[in-house]
Amino acid sequence: MDQSAVTPGSARTSEDMTDEALMLRVQDGDKAAFRLLVTRHIDRIVGTARRIVGPAEAEDVAQDVFLKVWTARDQWSPGQAAFRTWLYRVAVNRCIDRIRRVRPGSIDEVPEIADDAPGPLDECERREDGTRLRAAMEHLSEQQRTAITLYYHESLTAAEVAEIMGLRLNAVESLLKRGRQKLRTVLK
Amino acid sequence: MTPEEFKALLDTYGADLTCWPHGRRQSAQRLLAESGAARDAFAAAQEFDDLLAVREPSLDGAARRRLTDAILDNLPEDPMPRQTRAAQPVRQTVRPTPRPASRPNLGIGALVLRPLAPLWVGCLGMGLAVGIAIYAAQPHSVAPAQAESGLIETWAMYGR
């Protein structure tokens, strides 16, 4: 671990700094600021990756995401996008790369939802809901899965999802609608 | 708003009305106040939203530290950090000097003299000839022998 990276300037790096302020320091090579950003967002990125690519590869994807953030840090511009939006864009791109590389993708390989499973509403309060929902989401297209994850799991607005995915708002609305309808059918 | 529109919007945006387009919220609330079927659909959508929003379990402290350390340990060395880059002298790139675009020459020489050069030469010749003729037509005291010695005088003789 590189603790020597704490520069005199980074001594003022603190928990209450905004992501954008930290990212400006990261752009100057401040690894302490980068560590704080990673700590702040790692759970959400791992969670997003679990939903989109699956739990087995989620941590690898999260590592890729933050390494990409570091190497491409000069590409972020505070006036263009909130750091969180940019981070999710990097994450979604890495997830899609991983899906396309590892799994050329056949819906036939998707695990079936157990027929005798209790109704989804009864399971809401149980931890297994996450597992069941992940299995159901594998029935969605890659884009539907991404849109649903960002909108419901990450609580982003449809406009933010559109910006992250590089799509028009009405395209995202269509993905959300079809994805939700499909999930309702699969989880019924 | 019709019940069908309401259900379509529930499918698109979920049951959190704050996420709906601003112009549709009031219509939705009016429908909810009036229609029991709309309220049932709304309640079912809320429960489904809760399912979709189920959080993935957070990493425990040790796993988060391990993953964060792995990321920090694997950062590629920056060959030239931004501050250093800023301090580097800018390499002068020699670029070929662009040839100045040809400017239109709007001087008198370009507009008048050059295109009409043959005319001017012709006029000059004519002027000389007329001058010689006038000169030759006038009586003068130059001896014929002297006149014959010069070309001009020779021309004057021909003019007589």
Side-chain angles (χ1 to χ4, degrees):
Chain A
M1 183 184 353
D2 187 0
Q3 298 291 5
S4 64
V6 181
T7 61
S10 67
R12 290 189 292 118
T13 299
S14 62
E15 295 286 341
D16 56 356
M17 286 180 73
T18 64
D19 289 345
E20 285 72 22
L22 288 172
M23 194 57 191
L24 288 172
R25 288 171 177 268
V26 169
Q27 287 185 326
D28 286 334
D30 185 339
K31 290 185 180 177
F34 186 64
R35 173 178 286 277
L36 195 49
L37 271 180
V38 173
T39 307
R40 196 178 279 182
H41 293 284
I42 190 87
D43 275 334
R44 303 209 76 119
I45 296 301
V46 171
T48 301
R50 277 186 187 142
R51 287 283 165 89
I52 300 177
V53 301
E57 297 175 71
E59 293 191 11
D60 284 349
V61 169
Q63 281 200 47
D64 282 353
V65 168
F66 285 104
L67 290 176
K68 181 70 179 175
V69 167
W70 174 262
T71 55
R73 61 193 185 277
D74 282 348
Q75 292 172 18
W76 175 77
S77 164
Q80 284 182 345
F83 172 73
R84 192 171 76 136
T85 306
W86 187 71
L87 175 64
Y88 278 120
R89 194 179 304 154
V90 173
V92 165
N93 286 338
R94 304 313 276 184
C95 287
I96 290 172
D97 285 350
R98 184 63 68 114
I99 288 171
R100 291 180 182 170
R101 195 170 66 234
V102 175
R103 288 180 287 181
S106 162
I107 195 74
D108 299 332
E109 298 168 8
V110 172
E112 291 296 327
I113 306 296
D115 288 340
D116 57 350
L121 304 183
D122 297 331
E123 286 211 347
C124 274
E125 295 172 6
R126 296 171 55 181
R127 187 180 172 90
E128 289 77 18
D129 275 355
T131 307
R132 193 153 174 269
L133 181 59
R134 273 203 303 272
M137 288 187 66
E138 292 200 36
H139 290 255
L140 305 183
S141 73
E142 172 187 294
Q143 285 199 317
Q144 287 171 347
R145 201 184 317 164
T146 302
I148 292 274
T149 298
L150 294 176
Y151 187 77
Y152 290 103
H153 186 246
E154 299 305 315
S155 305
L156 297 170
T157 66
E160 287 171 325
V161 175
E163 188 183 350
I164 289 166
M165 295 181 71
L167 297 173
R168 290 175 179 276
L169 180 59
N170 58 2
V172 167
E173 289 169 343
S174 174
L175 289 171
L176 290 173
K177 183 178 179 181
R178 290 171 189 276
R180 185 178 169 111
Q181 288 171 338
K182 177 82 174 176
L183 282 176
R184 203 168 46 225
T185 304
V186 170
L187 288 166
K188 198 172 277 179
Chain B
M1 178 182 289
T2 66
E4 289 72 27
E5 283 177 308
F6 181 70
K7 285 182 183 174
L9 286 164
L10 276 178
D11 273 343
T12 303
Y13 297 105
D16 182 355
L17 292 183
T18 62
C19 297
W20 286 35
H22 190 70
R24 313 311 303 272
R25 291 179 206 167
Q26 284 192 332
S27 312
Q29 280 164 342
R30 273 198 298 275
L31 185 67
L32 281 170
E34 295 164 2
S35 165
R39 284 194 294 276
D40 288 345
F42 188 72
Q46 279 181 315
E47 291 185 25
F48 198 59
D49 277 8
D50 290 342
L51 174 64
L52 295 180
V54 165
R55 290 236 171 272
E56 291 289 328
S58 295
L59 296 167
D60 63 48
R64 188 182 300 108
R65 265 194 307 279
R66 178 182 46 76
L67 190 53
T68 304
D69 288 348
I71 291 165
L72 269 289
D73 289 346
N74 286 306
L75 293 184
E77 283 305 314
D78 195 351
M80 194 176 289
R82 180 182 259 212
Q83 287 168 334
T84 313
R85 279 202 300 269
Q88 292 290 313
V90 178
R91 179 181 292 175
Q92 295 292 326
T93 305
V94 179
R95 294 183 181 173
T97 307
R99 298 182 66 178
S102 58
R103 277 188 313 175
N105 187 345
L106 300 177
I108 193 165
L111 291 179
V112 179
L113 295 180
R114 221 170 288 160
L116 301 178
L119 180 62
W120 296 125
V121 171
C123 286
L124 185 61
M126 288 284 287
L128 278 173
V130 169
I132 289 168
I134 291 170
Y135 173 78
Q138 289 176 348
H140 49 77
S141 57
V142 178
Q146 285 176 309
E148 284 173 8
S149 66
L151 181 60
I152 294 175
E153 280 74 13
T154 306
W155 287 344
M157 281 179 66
Y158 287 138
R160 278 181 187 169

